[in-house]
Amino acid sequence: MCSSDLDDDALSLVSMSRATIARRRTLKADEAGRVFRIASLLALSEEVLGSHEKSIRWLKSPTFFLGNETPLNLAKTEAGADAVKNLLFRIEHSVYS
């Protein structure tokens, strides 16, 4: 799995295409917020899981502790992103209950 796969998924989550990104010089406030949410989850998951590749694989895989949803799919909303962050903190501190 390559990082462009994650890029495509992340772009779809923020409702933007590569062409839109290339054409524009700035993002609207809501778009910037969605991009920041995805980027912060990627950074946190890389820190917790130890590598970019593991992070991408985890973000795109259904997770039992998230109701068999993928973390990226849940990150469409702020509440979902908070649930993903909470799980990452639990993984980091070995608390799975």
Side-chain angles (χ1 to χ4, degrees):
M1 184 173 312
C2 67
S3 64
S4 66
D5 292 338
L6 178 66
D7 295 342
D8 291 338
D9 288 343
L11 286 172
S12 72
L13 289 174
V14 297
S15 303
M16 299 177 73
S17 68
R18 287 187 187 279
T20 300
I21 296 289
R23 185 176 62 246
R24 287 207 205 147
R25 295 194 179 268
T26 60
L27 297 174
K28 297 174 185 172
D30 63 318
E31 294 167 340
R34 292 189 305 246
V35 169
F36 178 79
R37 183 168 56 232
I38 300 301
S40 66
L41 282 178
L42 178 60
L44 179 60
S45 63
E46 285 179 3
E47 181 181 323
V48 170
L49 301 174
S51 78
H52 181 74
E53 292 76 21
K54 287 180 183 177
S55 175
I56 291 170
R57 192 170 37 250
W58 186 80
L59 287 168
K60 294 182 74 173
S61 298
T63 304
F64 173 79
F65 294 103
L66 297 173
N68 291 321
E69 290 285 337
T70 68
L72 274 181
N73 189 45
L74 283 177
K76 289 179 181 178
T77 66
E78 191 66 38
D82 288 344
V84 174
K85 287 178 191 176
N86 184 318
L87 179 56
L88 284 167
F89 289 129
R90 288 174 29 207
I91 291 170
E92 182 176 36
H93 298 287
S94 301
V95 179
Y96 295 102
S97 59

